[in-house]
Amino acid sequence: MENIVIIGNGISGVTAARHIRKLSDKKITIVSAETDYFFSRTALMYVYMGHMKFEHTQPYENWFWKKNNINLKKGYVKTIETTSKTLHFEEGESFQYDKLIIATGSKPNKFGWPGQDLDGVMGMYHKQDLDNLEKYAPNNKVCKRAVIVGGGLIGIELVEMLHSRHIPVTFLVREDSFWNGVLPEGESAMINKEILNNGIDLRLGANLKEIKADENGKVKSIIIAETGEEISCDVVGLTAGVSPNIDFIKESGIEIERGVKVNPFLETNVKDVYAIGDCAEQHEGIDQRRPIEAVWYTGRMMGETVAQTICDNRIAYKPGPWFNSAKFMDIEYQTYGWVWAQKRDNEARFYWEHKDGKKCIHINYDKNSREFIGINNFGIRMRHEFFDKALKEKQSVDYVLEHLADANFDPEFYKLHEKEIVAKFNQENNTNIQLKKKSWKRVFSTQA
Ligand SMILES: Cc1cc2nc3c(=O)[nH]c(=O)nc-3n(C[C@H](O)[C@H](O)[C@H](O)COP(=O)(O)OP(=O)(O)OC[C@H]3O[C@@H](n4cnc5c(N)ncnc54)[C@H](O)[C@@H]3O)c2cc1C
């Protein structure tokens, strides 16, 4: 019986395993050095914030794996020998495979800052980081201030986590406005305000120079590069992005660059070796996507796809329209399609912001064909199904606005904002778009 080994028990690895099991009775083993069982990484913050226990981040009961005949092995793979199809573990053991799936995820970036390995300095990625945070920042008596370095999605989550325990936070953001490499100016400015309104010491245009230690080798302060200012702190969170966790693959003959190089079938240059999730790097980005996509949904889709290929139905990874979601303090964010930070030549944009400064939508469309390209929603929840369909069908911006009621998730939204949004669009663009009534049946019946 064919022996499938998966390195990594994150969303990519376990999705691949579950789907291979659904499709076949192959032998499956998932290896991980991090935890015994799969957990939802995106829920880690809620454990620290007291909304759930760590056990609640595990979507499957512990008996699930045995019942489904999926073997779990705890251990760190140190090297892969592809000629003999053998994994060598740090603990000394070795293990054979017939087919190997590399699903080893990411690791937090460190840029060689002096002091980056001191006690009290941590990333926010692995379960061990959460344990470290509990140790060094259990409350504001033990941790009088934390400094978070790097203004992306994980950075702002870590800020919110510490803030929930009333720990004063300084937030160093290299850019001159929060996440403005991804967010357009309006949205980025809204999040700057949200961070400041929560009492966070936000430092824009600020880089870390070094981290200083006390006499016990624990962090005591940081120095800001631009100003030389020293800020006392007990914890430093390094959240300046992530990169593929693939150092152990370097000597294996499997082609790597920033990640493990894969073709659209998620195959590497070595026969019977595949890579999926955060650690996989496409030779070329699919559609307008980046070659590496470190997001949850991508890992899940790649896991499903590679399972088909391994079970003799070789199919390419076709992710469809881009979408993502996150939360910036109290403001929920969703994006469907593309709304780049900078407007491109063929694009026209429409921006609406609520007067409370906590909600906005930003629509992007082609200024000649009027084809809808994407939407950012802040503080307003809209339906993924609706936009996915509109993007696949290449609907126009006029269609999207007419059917805003179908896109809407929140009943309050219709009463409060849709009319205002469409009126603003009509006024700015000299159009006469009429809002149509909600038609759930139409949306979902055509999807089935
Ligand atoms: C705090 C946080 C919040 C996030 N929020 C969002 C969000 O809101 N939306 C979103 O889309 N994405 C979010 N992400 C990103 C998302 O969690 C990742 O894209 C996803 O978890 C990656 O899954 P994966 O299976 O590819 O890898 P991982 O989940 O990283 O799993 C890989 C596993 O492989 C193990 N491993 C690595 N090397 C070895 C080895 N040599 N031997 C044995 N085991 C090894 C690792 O320890 C790890 O357990 C967030 C990430 C973090 C950290």
Side-chain angles (χ1 to χ4, degrees):
M1 191 191 306
E2 198 170 43
N3 180 16
I4 312 294
V5 177
I6 302 167
I7 315 177
N9 69 348
I11 182 67
S12 325
V14 302
T15 305
R18 284 177 40 244
H19 284 261
I20 294 170
R21 176 53 67 244
K22 274 191 201 170
L23 297 165
S24 75
D25 57 3
K26 294 178 197 292
K27 182 174 178 204
I28 305 171
T29 305
I30 309 180
V31 177
S32 177
E34 187 179 8
T35 49
D36 290 329
Y37 300 103
F38 167 55
F39 69 95
S40 166
R41 202 169 292 294
T42 56
L44 275 184
M45 70 182 294
Y46 300 108
V47 177
Y48 181 84
M49 289 168 73
H51 301 186
M52 53 168 70
K53 291 191 168 152
F54 180 73
E55 299 82 82
H56 301 149
T57 66
Q58 294 177 185
Y60 304 98
E61 300 287 347
N62 293 351
W63 48 257
F64 173 89
W65 308 99
K66 196 162 186 192
K67 181 164 178 266
N68 287 286
N69 198 14
I70 296 173
N71 304 306
L72 304 180
K73 178 165 174 51
K74 186 103 186 265
Y76 181 78
V77 178
K78 211 170 121 197
T79 50
I80 306 171
E81 212 176 271
T82 51
T83 39
S84 61
K85 296 193 166 179
T86 311
L87 305 181
H88 296 284
F89 285 83
E90 191 167 60
E91 297 78 8
E93 252 180 289
S94 34
F95 208 84
Q96 300 290 130
Y97 64 83
D98 295 318
K99 285 194 173 136
L100 178 68
I101 303 176
I102 301 169
T104 51
S106 299
K107 59 178 174 23
N109 287 333
K110 289 182 174 182
F111 293 108
W113 293 294
Q116 67 183 16
D117 296 317
L118 292 170
D119 291 343
V121 181
M122 64 203 72
M124 183 60 225
Y125 191 89
H126 292 107
K127 164 74 165 63
Q128 287 74 11
D129 296 322
L130 187 72
D131 298 341
N132 253 337
L133 198 65
E134 273 300 347
K135 179 173 168 195
Y136 291 103
N139 55 49
N140 58 16
K141 303 266 176 326
V142 175
C143 178
K144 297 197 171 53
R145 175 165 295 275
V147 176
I148 307 307
V149 181
L153 293 179
I154 297 178
I156 197 165
E157 279 195 4
L158 187 51
V159 168
E160 186 182 352
M161 289 160 74
L162 293 155
H163 184 59
S164 76
R165 293 204 187 175
H166 308 290
I167 293 170
V169 182
T170 296
F171 192 14
L172 303 192
V173 173
R174 183 183 56 179
E175 295 75 23
D176 58 12
S177 184
F178 178 77
W179 216 35
N180 67 358
V182 176
L183 299 180
E185 203 181 328
E187 291 93 310
S188 173
M190 178 183 279
I191 303 306
N192 291 339
K193 268 190 256 154
E194 174 71 4
I195 296 168
L196 290 167
N197 287 343
N198 275 279
I200 307 301
D201 175 29
L202 173 65
R203 307 293 186 96
L204 295 171
N207 280 277
L208 175 67
K209 182 170 176 229
E210 66 173 292
I211 307 168
K212 291 193 154 184
D214 67 11
E215 60 282 2
N216 301 315
K218 189 182 154 289
V219 55
K220 75 161 191 197
S221 64
I222 62 102
I223 309 283
I224 295 183
E226 286 74 12
T227 57
E229 184 185 353
E230 181 165 4
I231 299 175
S232 299
C233 56
D234 299 295
V235 159
V236 174
L238 300 178
T239 56
V242 297
S243 34
N245 196 0
I246 55 163
D247 287 348
F248 74 103
I249 296 171
K250 280 184 182 143
E251 310 299 323
S252 65
I254 300 167
E255 186 188 356
I256 57 172
E257 250 173 63
R258 284 178 52 227
V260 182
K261 298 295 269 185
V262 290
N263 65 16
F265 297 92
L266 306 167
E267 296 159 337
T268 69
N269 62 319
V270 175
K271 190 171 177 305
D272 296 333
V273 180
Y274 306 79
I276 56 174
D278 277 24
C279 71
E281 178 179 5
Q282 299 281 335
H283 290 282
E284 274 162 41
I286 297 172
D287 299 330
Q288 315 252 16
R289 288 168 179 253
R290 294 180 184 175
I292 300 176
E293 295 176 57
V295 291
W296 182 263
Y297 314 100
T298 290
R300 208 173 52 197
M301 288 189 279
M302 286 186 175
E304 288 174 19
T305 306
V306 83
Q308 291 286 341
T309 297
I310 284 189
C311 296
D312 303 323
N313 178 28
R314 187 168 179 262
I315 57 173
Y317 167 62
K318 286 207 188 103
W322 170 252
F323 68 103
N324 201 6
S325 64
K327 197 160 81 62
F328 303 112
M329 313 296 288
D330 290 330
I331 300 182
E332 279 190 45
Y333 154 71
Q334 298 163 321
T335 188
Y336 302 120
W338 299 113
V339 188
W340 289 278
Q342 304 295 334
K343 190 166 83 144
R344 298 186 176 179
D345 288 346
N346 65 316
E347 294 173 359
R349 298 277 180 100
F350 169 69
Y351 183 77
W352 169 87
E353 186 173 315
H354 189 259
K355 58 181 181 311
D356 70 5
K358 283 173 171 273
K359 295 185 198 83
C360 73
I361 65 165
H362 200 165
I363 296 181
N364 189 21
Y365 60 99
D366 189 287
K367 68 181 177 194
N368 301 314
S369 69
R370 299 186 72 74
E371 184 179 323
F372 172 64
I373 299 174
I375 184 167
N376 280 345
N377 303 309
F378 281 73
I380 289 171
R381 216 185 265 187
M382 299 235 203
R383 290 186 187 273
H384 177 215
E385 299 92 322
F386 174 84
F387 290 107
D388 194 57
K389 187 166 174 290
L391 287 160
K392 282 180 180 153
E393 289 174 354
K394 300 188 183 300
Q395 295 287 1
S396 67
V397 63
D398 312 76
Y399 173 93
V400 167
L401 284 161
E402 276 171 11
H403 295 88
L404 220 44
D406 287 337
N408 169 23
F409 216 89
D410 178 359
E412 286 298 296
F413 175 69
Y414 179 73
K415 277 184 260 157
L416 296 172
H417 311 308
E418 278 168 24
K419 283 188 189 138
E420 190 184 316
I421 290 169
V422 172
K424 183 169 192 268
F425 185 93
N426 281 335
Q427 192 194 9
E428 286 178 9
N429 295 282
N430 212 8
T431 47
N432 186 25
I433 295 169
Q434 302 291 322
L435 204 52
K436 290 203 180 358
K437 285 215 171 114
K438 205 178 190 74
S439 55
W440 288 117
K441 274 193 192 132
R442 194 184 60 240
V443 173
F444 291 110
S445 62
T446 49
Q447 255 189 353

Short mmCIF file of all heavy atoms in Angstrom, two decimals, residues 7-13 31-34 41-42 44 75-77 103-106 124-126 154 157 245 248 276-279 294-297 299 324-326, ligand 1:
data_model
loop_
_atom_site.label_atom_id
_atom_site.label_comp_id
_atom_site.label_asym_id
_atom_site.label_seq_id
_atom_site.Cartn_x
_atom_site.Cartn_y
_atom_site.Cartn_z
N ILE A 7 4.76 16.46 5.92
CA ILE A 7 5.48 17.18 6.99
C ILE A 7 4.72 18.46 7.27
O ILE A 7 4.63 19.34 6.41
CB ILE A 7 6.94 17.53 6.62
CG1 ILE A 7 7.65 16.35 5.98
CG2 ILE A 7 7.70 18.00 7.85
CD1 ILE A 7 9.08 16.67 5.52
N GLY A 8 4.16 18.56 8.49
CA GLY A 8 3.39 19.75 8.87
C GLY A 8 1.95 19.41 9.14
O GLY A 8 1.27 18.84 8.28
N ASN A 9 1.48 19.72 10.36
CA ASN A 9 0.07 19.45 10.69
C ASN A 9 -0.76 20.72 10.79
O ASN A 9 -1.64 20.84 11.62
CB ASN A 9 -0.04 18.61 11.98
CG ASN A 9 0.35 19.40 13.21
OD1 ASN A 9 0.93 20.49 13.10
ND2 ASN A 9 0.06 18.88 14.39
N GLY A 10 -0.45 21.70 9.92
CA GLY A 10 -1.28 22.90 9.82
C GLY A 10 -2.46 22.66 8.89
O GLY A 10 -2.71 21.51 8.48
N ILE A 11 -3.13 23.74 8.52
CA ILE A 11 -4.34 23.60 7.69
C ILE A 11 -4.03 22.90 6.36
O ILE A 11 -4.84 22.09 5.89
CB ILE A 11 -5.02 24.98 7.47
CG1 ILE A 11 -6.30 24.86 6.65
CG2 ILE A 11 -4.11 25.99 6.80
CD1 ILE A 11 -7.41 24.12 7.33
N SER A 12 -2.85 23.16 5.77
CA SER A 12 -2.55 22.56 4.46
C SER A 12 -2.36 21.06 4.61
O SER A 12 -2.97 20.27 3.87
CB SER A 12 -1.25 23.12 3.87
OG SER A 12 -1.08 24.44 4.18
N GLY A 13 -1.49 20.67 5.55
CA GLY A 13 -1.18 19.26 5.73
C GLY A 13 -2.40 18.44 6.12
O GLY A 13 -2.65 17.37 5.54
N VAL A 31 3.53 14.41 10.12
CA VAL A 31 4.63 14.67 11.06
C VAL A 31 4.56 16.12 11.49
O VAL A 31 4.35 17.00 10.65
CB VAL A 31 5.98 14.45 10.33
CG1 VAL A 31 7.13 14.78 11.26
CG2 VAL A 31 6.09 13.04 9.79
N SER A 32 4.75 16.39 12.77
CA SER A 32 4.88 17.79 13.19
C SER A 32 5.72 17.91 14.44
O SER A 32 5.65 17.06 15.33
CB SER A 32 3.52 18.43 13.47
OG SER A 32 3.75 19.76 13.94
N ALA A 33 6.52 18.97 14.47
CA ALA A 33 7.36 19.22 15.65
C ALA A 33 6.64 20.14 16.63
O ALA A 33 7.11 20.34 17.74
CB ALA A 33 8.66 19.87 15.19
N GLU A 34 5.51 20.71 16.21
CA GLU A 34 4.93 21.79 17.02
C GLU A 34 3.96 21.31 18.10
O GLU A 34 4.17 21.57 19.28
CB GLU A 34 4.22 22.78 16.08
CG GLU A 34 3.72 24.03 16.79
CD GLU A 34 3.03 25.00 15.86
OE1 GLU A 34 2.81 24.67 14.68
OE2 GLU A 34 2.70 26.11 16.33
N ARG A 41 -4.45 28.10 13.73
CA ARG A 41 -3.46 29.13 14.06
C ARG A 41 -4.12 30.51 14.17
O ARG A 41 -3.72 31.34 14.97
CB ARG A 41 -2.41 29.14 12.94
CG ARG A 41 -1.10 29.73 13.32
CD ARG A 41 -0.03 29.48 12.28
NE ARG A 41 0.40 28.12 12.12
CZ ARG A 41 1.05 27.41 13.04
NH1 ARG A 41 1.38 27.95 14.18
NH2 ARG A 41 1.40 26.15 12.82
N THR A 42 -5.12 30.74 13.35
CA THR A 42 -5.76 32.07 13.33
C THR A 42 -6.53 32.32 14.64
O THR A 42 -6.88 33.46 14.92
CB THR A 42 -6.73 32.19 12.15
OG1 THR A 42 -7.65 31.12 12.24
CG2 THR A 42 -6.01 32.09 10.82
N LEU A 44 -5.25 31.57 17.66
CA LEU A 44 -4.31 31.66 18.80
C LEU A 44 -4.56 32.91 19.64
O LEU A 44 -4.49 32.89 20.87
CB LEU A 44 -2.86 31.68 18.30
CG LEU A 44 -2.17 30.36 18.03
CD1 LEU A 44 -0.72 30.59 17.64
CD2 LEU A 44 -2.26 29.42 19.23
N GLY A 75 7.79 15.06 15.85
CA GLY A 75 9.24 15.05 15.63
C GLY A 75 9.63 16.10 14.62
O GLY A 75 8.79 16.55 13.82
N TYR A 76 10.90 16.48 14.64
CA TYR A 76 11.39 17.51 13.73
C TYR A 76 12.21 16.86 12.62
O TYR A 76 13.20 16.18 12.89
CB TYR A 76 12.23 18.53 14.51
CG TYR A 76 12.75 19.64 13.62
CD1 TYR A 76 11.91 20.68 13.24
CD2 TYR A 76 14.05 19.62 13.14
CE1 TYR A 76 12.36 21.69 12.41
CE2 TYR A 76 14.52 20.63 12.30
CZ TYR A 76 13.67 21.66 11.94
OH TYR A 76 14.12 22.65 11.11
N VAL A 77 11.79 17.06 11.38
CA VAL A 77 12.53 16.51 10.25
C VAL A 77 13.75 17.38 9.99
O VAL A 77 13.64 18.57 9.74
CB VAL A 77 11.64 16.46 8.98
CG1 VAL A 77 12.44 15.93 7.80
CG2 VAL A 77 10.41 15.61 9.22
N ALA A 103 4.54 20.60 3.91
CA ALA A 103 3.51 21.59 4.31
C ALA A 103 3.97 22.24 5.61
O ALA A 103 3.27 22.22 6.62
CB ALA A 103 2.16 20.89 4.49
N THR A 104 5.19 22.82 5.54
CA THR A 104 5.85 23.25 6.78
C THR A 104 5.60 24.71 7.15
O THR A 104 6.20 25.21 8.11
CB THR A 104 7.36 22.99 6.69
OG1 THR A 104 7.85 23.56 5.47
CG2 THR A 104 7.68 21.51 6.70
N GLY A 105 4.74 25.40 6.40
CA GLY A 105 4.29 26.72 6.83
C GLY A 105 5.36 27.80 6.79
O GLY A 105 6.29 27.75 5.99
N SER A 106 5.22 28.74 7.71
CA SER A 106 6.10 29.91 7.75
C SER A 106 6.83 30.01 9.07
O SER A 106 6.54 29.27 10.02
CB SER A 106 5.26 31.20 7.62
OG SER A 106 4.57 31.24 6.43
N MET A 124 5.00 35.85 16.74
CA MET A 124 3.66 35.39 17.11
C MET A 124 3.20 34.46 16.01
O MET A 124 2.49 34.88 15.10
CB MET A 124 2.73 36.59 17.27
CG MET A 124 1.34 36.21 17.74
SD MET A 124 1.44 35.40 19.33
CE MET A 124 0.36 34.04 19.07
N TYR A 125 3.67 33.25 16.06
CA TYR A 125 3.31 32.31 15.00
C TYR A 125 2.97 30.95 15.58
O TYR A 125 1.88 30.42 15.39
CB TYR A 125 4.45 32.18 13.97
CG TYR A 125 4.00 31.43 12.73
CD1 TYR A 125 3.44 32.11 11.66
CD2 TYR A 125 4.09 30.03 12.67
CE1 TYR A 125 2.98 31.42 10.54
CE2 TYR A 125 3.62 29.34 11.55
CZ TYR A 125 3.08 30.04 10.49
OH TYR A 125 2.61 29.36 9.39
N HIS A 126 3.92 30.38 16.33
CA HIS A 126 3.75 29.01 16.81
C HIS A 126 3.10 28.97 18.19
O HIS A 126 3.06 29.97 18.89
CB HIS A 126 5.11 28.30 16.84
CG HIS A 126 5.67 28.09 15.45
ND1 HIS A 126 6.71 28.80 14.93
CD2 HIS A 126 5.28 27.22 14.47
CE1 HIS A 126 6.96 28.39 13.69
NE2 HIS A 126 6.11 27.44 13.39
N ILE A 154 -0.33 40.28 11.51
CA ILE A 154 -0.01 39.60 12.76
C ILE A 154 0.40 40.63 13.82
O ILE A 154 0.04 40.52 14.99
CB ILE A 154 1.08 38.52 12.54
CG1 ILE A 154 0.53 37.45 11.58
CG2 ILE A 154 1.50 37.88 13.86
CD1 ILE A 154 1.51 36.34 11.24
N GLU A 157 -2.59 42.14 15.42
CA GLU A 157 -3.23 41.16 16.31
C GLU A 157 -2.50 41.10 17.66
O GLU A 157 -3.13 41.04 18.71
CB GLU A 157 -3.21 39.76 15.69
CG GLU A 157 -4.31 39.56 14.68
CD GLU A 157 -4.51 38.10 14.32
OE1 GLU A 157 -3.86 37.22 14.90
OE2 GLU A 157 -5.34 37.84 13.43
N ASN A 245 9.15 28.23 5.94
CA ASN A 245 9.92 27.51 6.95
C ASN A 245 10.62 26.31 6.29
O ASN A 245 10.16 25.17 6.40
CB ASN A 245 8.91 27.04 8.02
CG ASN A 245 9.57 26.62 9.29
OD1 ASN A 245 10.79 26.66 9.42
ND2 ASN A 245 8.77 26.20 10.25
N PHE A 248 15.54 23.44 6.48
CA PHE A 248 15.99 22.04 6.54
C PHE A 248 15.99 21.35 5.18
O PHE A 248 16.50 20.25 5.03
CB PHE A 248 15.12 21.26 7.54
CG PHE A 248 13.73 20.96 7.02
CD1 PHE A 248 13.40 19.70 6.56
CD2 PHE A 248 12.77 21.95 6.98
CE1 PHE A 248 12.12 19.42 6.08
CE2 PHE A 248 11.49 21.69 6.50
CZ PHE A 248 11.18 20.43 6.05
N ILE A 276 2.82 22.45 -0.41
CA ILE A 276 1.54 23.17 -0.35
C ILE A 276 1.55 24.18 0.80
O ILE A 276 2.36 24.09 1.72
CB ILE A 276 0.35 22.19 -0.15
CG1 ILE A 276 0.55 21.33 1.11
CG2 ILE A 276 0.15 21.30 -1.37
CD1 ILE A 276 -0.66 20.45 1.45
N GLY A 277 0.63 25.13 0.74
CA GLY A 277 0.44 26.09 1.83
C GLY A 277 1.48 27.20 1.83
O GLY A 277 2.08 27.51 0.80
N ASP A 278 1.71 27.76 3.01
CA ASP A 278 2.60 28.92 3.16
C ASP A 278 4.00 28.69 2.60
O ASP A 278 4.67 29.63 2.21
CB ASP A 278 2.79 29.25 4.65
CG ASP A 278 1.67 30.09 5.23
OD1 ASP A 278 0.55 30.05 4.68
OD2 ASP A 278 1.91 30.78 6.24
N CYS A 279 4.48 27.43 2.62
CA CYS A 279 5.88 27.19 2.24
C CYS A 279 6.06 27.00 0.74
O CYS A 279 7.18 26.92 0.26
CB CYS A 279 6.43 25.97 2.99
SG CYS A 279 5.74 24.41 2.44
N ALA A 294 0.68 33.42 1.91
CA ALA A 294 0.67 32.91 3.29
C ALA A 294 -0.68 33.20 3.94
O ALA A 294 -0.79 34.00 4.86
CB ALA A 294 1.82 33.55 4.07
N VAL A 295 -1.72 32.58 3.42
CA VAL A 295 -3.05 32.72 4.00
C VAL A 295 -3.74 31.37 4.16
O VAL A 295 -3.46 30.42 3.43
CB VAL A 295 -3.96 33.70 3.19
CG1 VAL A 295 -3.49 35.13 3.29
CG2 VAL A 295 -4.07 33.28 1.75
N TRP A 296 -4.63 31.36 5.10
CA TRP A 296 -5.34 30.16 5.52
C TRP A 296 -6.06 29.46 4.36
O TRP A 296 -5.92 28.26 4.14
CB TRP A 296 -6.33 30.60 6.61
CG TRP A 296 -7.13 29.52 7.22
CD1 TRP A 296 -8.40 29.14 6.89
CD2 TRP A 296 -6.73 28.68 8.32
NE1 TRP A 296 -8.81 28.13 7.71
CE2 TRP A 296 -7.81 27.83 8.59
CE3 TRP A 296 -5.58 28.58 9.09
CZ2 TRP A 296 -7.77 26.88 9.60
CZ3 TRP A 296 -5.53 27.65 10.09
CH2 TRP A 296 -6.61 26.81 10.34
N TYR A 297 -6.83 30.24 3.60
CA TYR A 297 -7.68 29.63 2.56
C TYR A 297 -6.83 28.97 1.48
O TYR A 297 -7.21 27.96 0.91
CB TYR A 297 -8.57 30.69 1.89
CG TYR A 297 -9.24 31.60 2.86
CD1 TYR A 297 -8.75 32.87 3.12
CD2 TYR A 297 -10.38 31.17 3.54
CE1 TYR A 297 -9.37 33.71 4.04
CE2 TYR A 297 -11.00 31.99 4.45
CZ TYR A 297 -10.50 33.27 4.70
OH TYR A 297 -11.11 34.08 5.60
N GLY A 299 -3.93 27.52 1.88
CA GLY A 299 -3.47 26.24 2.40
C GLY A 299 -4.55 25.18 2.25
O GLY A 299 -4.28 24.05 1.85
N ASN A 324 -9.76 37.71 1.13
CA ASN A 324 -9.10 37.57 2.42
C ASN A 324 -9.91 38.34 3.46
O ASN A 324 -10.72 39.20 3.12
CB ASN A 324 -7.66 38.11 2.34
CG ASN A 324 -6.78 37.55 3.45
OD1 ASN A 324 -7.20 36.67 4.22
ND2 ASN A 324 -5.57 38.05 3.55
N SER A 325 -9.67 38.02 4.72
CA SER A 325 -10.35 38.76 5.79
C SER A 325 -9.43 38.84 6.99
O SER A 325 -8.52 38.02 7.14
CB SER A 325 -11.65 38.04 6.17
OG SER A 325 -11.34 36.78 6.72
N ALA A 326 -9.65 39.84 7.80
CA ALA A 326 -8.84 40.01 9.02
C ALA A 326 -9.61 40.98 9.93
O ALA A 326 -10.74 41.38 9.63
CB ALA A 326 -7.46 40.56 8.68
C1 LIG B 1 -1.39 35.03 14.60
C2 LIG B 1 -1.79 34.66 13.18
C3 LIG B 1 -2.98 35.09 12.66
C4 LIG B 1 -3.35 34.77 11.36
N1 LIG B 1 -4.55 35.22 10.87
C5 LIG B 1 -4.91 34.90 9.62
C6 LIG B 1 -6.17 35.32 9.09
O1 LIG B 1 -6.95 36.01 9.76
N2 LIG B 1 -6.51 34.96 7.81
C7 LIG B 1 -5.66 34.20 7.04
O2 LIG B 1 -6.00 33.88 5.90
N3 LIG B 1 -4.48 33.77 7.52
C8 LIG B 1 -4.08 34.11 8.77
N4 LIG B 1 -2.87 33.68 9.25
C9 LIG B 1 -2.01 32.88 8.36
C10 LIG B 1 -2.41 31.41 8.42
O3 LIG B 1 -2.52 31.01 9.77
C11 LIG B 1 -1.39 30.58 7.67
O4 LIG B 1 -1.43 30.96 6.31
C12 LIG B 1 -1.66 29.08 7.77
O5 LIG B 1 -1.80 28.66 9.10
C13 LIG B 1 -0.53 28.30 7.11
O6 LIG B 1 -0.83 26.94 7.16
P1 LIG B 1 0.21 25.82 6.72
O7 LIG B 1 -0.50 24.53 6.92
O8 LIG B 1 0.76 26.14 5.38
O9 LIG B 1 1.43 25.96 7.73
P2 LIG B 1 1.50 25.98 9.34
O10 LIG B 1 0.19 26.25 9.96
O11 LIG B 1 2.63 26.88 9.67
O12 LIG B 1 1.89 24.49 9.71
C14 LIG B 1 3.15 23.96 9.43
C15 LIG B 1 3.58 23.01 10.53
O13 LIG B 1 4.75 22.32 10.11
C16 LIG B 1 5.63 22.21 11.23
N5 LIG B 1 6.99 22.06 10.74
C17 LIG B 1 7.75 22.96 10.07
N6 LIG B 1 8.96 22.44 9.77
C18 LIG B 1 8.96 21.18 10.26
C19 LIG B 1 9.94 20.14 10.28
N7 LIG B 1 11.14 20.31 9.68
N8 LIG B 1 9.63 19.00 10.91
C20 LIG B 1 8.42 18.81 11.48
N9 LIG B 1 7.46 19.76 11.49
C21 LIG B 1 7.73 20.92 10.90
C22 LIG B 1 5.43 23.54 11.93
O14 LIG B 1 5.91 23.50 13.24
C23 LIG B 1 3.92 23.69 11.84
O15 LIG B 1 3.29 23.01 12.87
C24 LIG B 1 -2.49 33.99 10.56
C25 LIG B 1 -1.28 33.54 11.08
C26 LIG B 1 -0.92 33.86 12.37
C27 LIG B 1 0.38 33.37 12.92
#
